[in-house]
Amino acid sequence: MSASLLAIILLGLSALAYYVGRSKALRGASAGTAVRLHSLPVYYGTYVALWVGLPALAVAVLWLFLEPQVIQALLTARLPEEARNLDPARLSLLIGDIKNHAMGGVTSTELTPALQTVADYFSSLRTIGVYGMTTLSVAAGLAGLAVAWRHINPAFRARHHVERAIRIALIAASTIAILTTVGIVLSLLFESIRFFSLVSPFEFLFGIQWSPQTALRADQVGQSGAFGAVPIFAGTLLITLIAMLVAVPIGLFSAIYMAEYATPRFRALIKPILEVLAGIPTVVYGFFAALTVAPAIRGFGEGLGLDVASESALAAGLVMGVMIIPFISSLSDDVINAVPQSLRDGSFAMGATKSETVVKVVLPAALPGIVGSVLLAVSRAIGETMIVVMAAGLAANLTANPFEAVTTVTVQIVTLLTGDQEFDSAKTLAAFALGLVLFVMTLGLNVIALRVVRKYREKYD
Amino acid sequence: MTDVLAGRSLADSVARARLSKRHRAERRFKYYGLVAIFAALAILSVLLITIVGTGYTAFQQTYIQVDVDFRADVIDPQGTGLESDLRSANYAVLLRDGLLKHFPDVEGRTDRRELTRLVSSGADIRLLNMVLGDPSLIGTQQQIWVKASADLDSFIKGQIPRDVPEDQRKVSDQQVGWIDALAEKGLVEKRFNIDFFTSADSREPEQAGILGAVVGSLLTLIVTLVLSFPVAVMAAIYLEEFAPKNRLTDFIEININNLAAVPSIVFGLLGLAVFLGLFGLPRSAPLVGGMVLALMTMPTIIIAARAALKAVPPSIREAALGMGASPIQTATHHVLPLAMPGILTGTIIGMAQALGETAPLLMIGMVAFIVDVPGSFTDAATVLPVQVYLWADAPERGFVERTSAAIMVLLAFLIAMNILAVFLRKRFERRW
């Protein structure tokens, strides 16, 4: 509530500043006829509005960022002696309870009178916080208005200043991609390091026993959990392999047909239909795999006298392959089309048939691009989540039999992180370690694939 | 001469045989391509036919007519007329009595319970709401259509076959007898399932709807669009129009290309660790979901926007600069408007991806079971694909058709968005 109210106040203030700046510049210009504005009036208004809006916004953001820490420290100082000596996790739980209580939410325990005073203190702090933030940020905006006001005169080069601000904003926008990558890497690394302080990286990468469920009591079986991730990696690779066996031939042959044989009308009709396959949400594929494909495979296997698990690697892999077909076909289509016509003409001139030209000339020329697209597809298959969550199994199973249930990296991340659990057990942290492995694997594949594709493209340009 | 001729004809026949072999290989190769394409099309149609085939029945719902006697001694025994009293009354009794009118010979607790199981367990809430809306109903008799229970609904739609032994289906023989008797009297009817579109999730299949998920998706997409579109367009303008060719811009470009290929679940982990863990934003909220999806769709929009900007010919820029416009004015007044249709097409495609995304939203807790339609960006909410995931996991038979129906709605939205993108491209396509 307070944040949106503040936003409205600041917007109003900026609009006012725009009007004030613009009219001051215009007044200056019309006073003496010889004086002309350096920039369009819009820029004077914008200049002042920026000077009001940006400082105010900066103060508000800074306040929102610092407030929780300050409140935490103040509350801790007010807590009774025995509560302050709790370990950090319990302490933060207690403070969370106090905050909930003050805001009228649900609490896990009844508060003692001593804690009740802390809760009241928290309420008053919150009120102070809201008013403090509003006052300070409005003050910052007014200070900015004062500074900008003094700058405005007809000779002032308002456009240059405004454009510099826009340029900085443009640069900032384009660095968000870097910030996102940094955020991903840091968050994964940070949690993984915590995980590896509990479980040795060697055990994680080379152990063959995966059972992350930890028992409640120390004397129970499996009380420590086992975090050997090899079965998970093996399951991921098995499903990826099956998916590739489906997607590569179908995708590649349809790309060849589309690029070399299809009439323009056929192409215009079929290509968008194939793209539909790429636009279908993966959760739909997952449902399809679980509802239709898995029972069909099971029935088929039983007909042959095979023992098929109801959640088999084959079902998940097949459907994932279907999902990837349009990906491979459209990327390969692009690279095949990029092969210059002169190569084909040369081959035809030597008397080769179309298929011989394709196999012996076009495909070798397009090979790096095709390899790149297959690598990208592999990376996509490894990172794909919903199909395997819905159609592959949960139990880590070290097997090469496609009729058995296996589990994958993404399935484990989802199962470890959905549901209620505390945030510093090895079990939840393991998900981040798996996420790190997934990120590193797909990043490596992507970098190689993008390199290969780009290098190849340059050759014929 | 003849020798030569003979030799030629021999060579000729060998060559001809080889040629026809080569032509056969040629035809085979062509068929492989066709087979591949039609295999893909066949799988697509099987998928769509399965979804529609299992889902279309969810748009209908079985109703049973019950003759309800709104007895004052049950609803309001003290005669106070207070809302709290009306709320606490036992409306299930009224329903049961209404059903018993048709089958007066049903005796015993278990049989009676069996009988009340014909109607949805939420039917008494409906009676309560009727009484609250119009207290003058008390003391009257009304013929009311109430929803049949989900199992019965599935049975009437033929999804639970009659010929299965009784212990293997959820509907008992007794219930089958009752429902047949009711159907004979014309008291069973299938109607359009309006609740599927107007209510949120529920544990009972017959009461579950998608409105909560649709609103959640809408809120999430608004956040995604508001955050990703301006930033992505600004980034694209900088990279395409202003960026010098140096290490930093190279690094930015590599980053954008990589981000477009990072698995979506990793973005979910980022959201979990940073937005929830570090900033303490609310779990399950469209705000956080939208932020995560915004980071995911940004690379898509940037790449599309750069292509659109690149397609604007340099002559436009040169003319603007020649007339004295600054580089920023050139970009914002001339190049950007011309590139806008292309940028919008890319944005719609990015939004369509975001609409179908599930995995990162699981990470930030949008899998919660939520019965309310979300009212703000910080309320707990779910989105359509997550609703599909939740229902696909539900053990009740009635959720199978609802999952498919929700998928049909999701696909309808996606197709609409894609048609809009195609339309935009066609409408504003321009040759320079």
Side-chain angles (χ1 to χ4, degrees):
Chain A
M1 217 297 289
S2 62
S4 51
L5 188 67
L6 181 62
I8 291 171
I9 292 176
L10 290 186
L11 274 180
L13 207 58
S14 301
L16 186 73
Y18 175 85
Y19 178 74
V20 165
R22 186 171 172 274
S23 49
K24 184 183 177 192
L26 282 175
R27 259 203 322 277
S30 60
T33 42
V35 189
R36 290 181 54 194
L37 284 178
H38 168 268
S39 315
L40 293 170
V42 184
Y43 288 103
Y44 292 95
T46 315
Y47 177 76
V48 182
L50 283 175
W51 261 104
V52 171
L54 291 181
L57 194 68
V59 167
V61 168
L62 200 67
W63 185 283
L64 283 178
F65 195 70
L66 291 179
E67 192 190 67
Q69 274 101 335
V70 174
I71 285 188
Q72 182 93 8
L74 288 175
L75 287 186
T76 318
R78 284 276 181 118
L79 282 177
E81 188 66 36
E82 72 273 13
R84 247 181 296 163
N85 294 335
L86 287 170
D87 60 293
R90 301 276 304 273
L91 185 66
S92 76
L93 206 67
L94 181 68
I95 287 183
D97 247 10
I98 290 172
K99 285 181 180 170
N100 268 340
H101 188 83
M103 289 192 278
V106 188
T107 50
S108 55
T109 51
E110 203 58 34
L111 291 186
T112 62
L115 294 181
Q116 184 60 48
T117 59
V118 182
D120 294 341
Y121 179 56
F122 172 67
S123 306
S124 64
L125 274 184
R126 259 168 53 87
T127 323
I128 294 173
V130 169
Y131 286 114
M133 180 171 82
T134 315
T135 321
L136 260 189
S137 86
V138 168
L142 291 177
L145 179 65
V147 172
W149 175 260
R150 292 187 23 218
H151 286 166
I152 298 292
N153 65 63
F156 179 65
R157 301 170 150 228
R159 198 194 77 203
H160 293 235
H161 290 269
V162 170
E163 290 195 342
R164 193 187 306 151
I166 294 178
R167 217 175 244 263
I168 292 171
L170 292 182
I171 295 176
S174 56
T175 49
I176 291 213
I178 298 184
L179 286 182
T180 310
T181 315
V182 170
I184 289 174
V185 171
L186 283 187
S187 56
L188 291 180
L189 263 184
F190 192 66
E191 307 284 325
S192 301
I193 288 169
R194 281 170 69 193
F195 173 72
F196 288 129
S197 70
L198 298 170
V199 177
S200 92
F202 187 80
E203 191 207 327
F204 177 72
L205 287 177
F206 301 106
I208 55 165
Q209 183 68 38
W210 178 268
S211 64
Q213 300 301 329
T214 41
L216 289 173
R217 292 198 318 271
D219 55 333
Q220 278 172 310
V221 181
Q223 46 90 14
S224 61
F227 293 96
V230 169
I232 302 180
F233 300 147
T236 308
L237 293 182
L238 178 63
I239 288 184
T240 305
L241 182 73
I242 297 170
M244 287 301 127
L245 288 179
V246 175
V248 172
I250 296 185
L252 200 53
F253 270 111
S254 31
I256 290 171
Y257 189 86
M258 288 289 201
E260 301 288 334
Y261 290 97
T263 59
R265 270 187 69 187
F266 183 81
R267 203 180 143 86
L269 182 73
I270 299 294
K271 209 168 154 96
I273 298 182
L274 281 184
E275 311 268 275
V276 171
L277 276 176
I280 292 176
T282 52
V283 68
V284 176
Y285 282 114
F287 180 64
F288 179 63
L291 181 80
T292 313
V293 180
I297 290 175
R298 196 179 154 80
F300 182 71
E302 272 168 3
L304 292 177
L306 289 167
D307 189 24
V308 182
S310 60
E311 293 178 319
S312 60
L314 192 59
L318 284 179
V319 174
M320 196 191 278
V322 172
M323 182 200 84
I324 290 173
I325 289 172
F327 193 72
I328 290 192
S329 76
S330 70
L331 276 176
S332 310
D333 194 17
D334 285 350
V335 287
I336 290 174
N337 275 323
V339 172
Q341 187 61 32
S342 58
L343 291 188
R344 293 187 189 84
D345 293 343
S347 167
F348 292 146
M350 299 298 288
T353 64
K354 216 163 194 178
S355 61
E356 287 161 354
T357 308
V358 169
V359 173
K360 301 218 165 100
V361 177
V362 176
L363 284 188
L367 195 61
I370 291 171
V371 170
S373 75
V374 171
L375 285 182
L376 278 180
V378 169
S379 131
R380 183 164 277 219
I382 291 175
E384 165 48 40
T385 310
M386 294 321 293
I387 295 177
V388 285
V389 167
M390 294 169 84
L394 287 180
N397 211 344
L398 192 55
T399 175
N401 180 356
F403 295 112
E404 272 186 58
V406 296
T407 193
T408 70
V409 174
T410 47
V411 170
Q412 287 306 311
I413 294 176
V414 170
T415 46
L416 291 175
L417 283 182
T418 48
D420 298 318
Q421 55 260 87
E422 74 274 40
F423 250 88
D424 28 18
S425 72
K427 191 180 147 196
T428 45
L429 292 175
F432 284 92
L434 287 175
L436 185 65
V437 172
L438 179 67
F439 180 71
V440 170
M441 264 162 60
T442 51
L443 185 72
L445 283 169
N446 294 338
V447 169
I448 296 171
L450 291 173
R451 278 265 162 86
V452 168
V453 172
R454 184 187 285 185
K455 199 168 180 181
Y456 163 73
R457 285 257 164 86
E458 278 164 6
K459 225 155 92 184
Y460 291 113
D461 266 350
Chain B
M1 192 71 176
T2 47
D3 284 1
V4 174
L5 264 182
R8 243 181 83 182
S9 75
L10 182 68
D12 221 34
S13 69
V14 169
R16 214 167 270 162
R18 201 169 63 207
L19 194 61
S20 69
K21 198 178 155 201
R22 284 170 66 201
H23 282 165
R24 277 201 304 278
E26 168 72 26
R27 274 196 298 279
R28 264 204 314 278
F29 190 77
K30 194 173 165 182
Y31 286 136
Y32 293 154
L34 269 180
V35 165
I37 288 174
F38 283 107
L41 294 185
I43 296 165
L44 178 65
S45 27
V46 168
L47 193 153
L48 293 180
I49 289 168
T50 326
I51 299 289
V52 174
T54 49
Y56 78 97
T57 49
F59 296 118
Q60 286 205 316
Q61 163 74 38
T62 311
Y63 280 76
I64 299 175
Q65 196 196 67
V66 184
D67 201 2
V68 179
D69 185 359
F70 286 95
R71 276 153 48 203
D73 62 313
V74 174
I75 300 173
D76 193 9
Q78 269 99 44
T80 55
L82 288 174
E83 200 186 304
S84 56
D85 285 350
L86 298 184
R87 277 189 187 281
S88 57
N90 186 355
Y91 293 91
V93 171
L94 300 180
L95 270 178
R96 195 192 61 198
D97 292 351
L99 285 169
L100 278 174
K101 274 182 203 162
H102 297 294
F103 308 104
D105 51 334
V106 173
E107 295 282 339
R109 278 176 64 95
T110 40
D111 282 2
R112 286 183 171 201
R113 195 179 300 155
E114 193 97 313
L115 185 62
T116 49
R117 269 203 211 122
L118 290 180
V119 298
S120 159
S121 62
D124 50 336
I125 310 282
R126 168 132 195 269
L127 296 189
L128 164 68
N129 287 333
M130 282 178 72
V131 171
L132 287 180
D134 180 12
S136 67
L137 282 175
I138 298 171
T140 61
Q141 282 207 9
Q142 303 283 332
Q143 292 188 333
I144 298 169
W145 289 93
V146 295
K147 281 183 197 166
S149 73
D151 290 328
L152 207 67
D153 187 44
S154 309
F155 176 77
I156 287 170
K157 288 170 181 168
Q159 291 153 355
I160 299 178
R162 257 168 206 272
D163 47 10
V164 168
E166 188 183 4
D167 55 346
Q168 283 176 29
R169 56 176 144 88
K170 283 210 159 177
V171 185
S172 66
D173 283 346
Q174 205 174 15
Q175 285 179 320
V176 172
W178 287 329
I179 203 72
D180 285 345
L182 285 173
E184 236 162 70
K185 292 185 200 163
L187 301 179
V188 179
E189 208 173 271
K190 274 198 269 185
R191 295 185 185 179
F192 180 66
N193 187 2
I194 187 95
D195 282 358
F196 183 71
F197 297 99
T198 57
S199 54
D201 198 8
S202 166
R203 293 269 185 239
E204 311 295 331
E206 73 273 11
Q207 292 170 44
I210 54 166
L211 183 66
V214 169
V215 173
S217 274
L218 187 72
L219 293 176
T220 309
L221 281 190
I222 288 174
V223 176
T224 306
L225 184 67
V226 165
L227 291 179
S228 66
F229 180 69
V231 176
V233 172
M234 281 162 75
I237 290 179
Y238 178 72
L239 291 173
E240 206 53 49
E241 303 286 322
F242 298 106
K245 208 53 188 139
N246 61 21
R247 278 261 175 86
L248 178 70
T249 49
D250 266 359
F251 188 58
I252 292 175
E253 246 193 279
I254 295 170
N255 257 301
I256 290 170
N257 285 334
N258 270 331
L259 278 185
V262 166
S264 58
I265 194 168
V266 172
F267 283 94
L269 290 174
L270 169 77
L272 178 62
V274 175
F275 297 147
L276 299 188
L278 202 60
F279 296 159
L281 293 172
R283 272 176 86 84
S284 312
L287 177 70
V288 183
M291 285 161 79
V292 170
L293 293 181
L295 292 181
M296 262 188 63
T297 42
M298 222 178 286
T300 316
I301 304 180
I302 292 178
I303 291 168
R306 287 190 68 178
L309 288 170
K310 202 177 273 177
V312 176
S315 58
I316 303 279
R317 296 182 185 83
E318 283 151 17
L321 291 171
M323 294 300 285
S326 71
I328 298 239
Q329 284 172 329
T330 306
T332 53
H333 296 177
H334 300 278
V335 180
L336 188 58
L338 289 172
M340 220 15 138
I343 297 178
L344 288 181
T345 314
T347 307
I348 294 169
I349 290 168
M351 286 296 121
Q353 275 174 17
L355 173 62
E357 200 54 69
T358 319
L361 301 179
L362 302 186
M363 295 290 92
I364 57 158
M366 287 188 103
V367 270
F369 169 71
I370 289 150
V371 203
D372 297 321
V373 176
S376 82
F377 292 109
T378 47
D379 281 358
T382 190
V383 295
L384 260 181
V386 177
Q387 187 73 77
V388 168
Y389 172 65
L390 286 172
W391 281 352
D393 248 14
E396 287 88 353
R397 178 70 185 76
F399 276 121
V400 175
E401 58 173 26
R402 273 165 182 79
T403 312
S404 300
I407 288 176
M408 283 156 72
V409 174
L410 181 61
L411 290 182
F413 277 119
L414 287 177
I415 291 169
M417 285 167 96
N418 279 310
I419 288 176
L420 183 65
V422 170
F423 171 77
L424 266 180
R425 196 179 320 179
K426 282 263 184 316
R427 176 82 175 68
F428 294 102
E429 201 171 45
R430 198 191 273 255
R431 291 202 176 274
W432 302 96

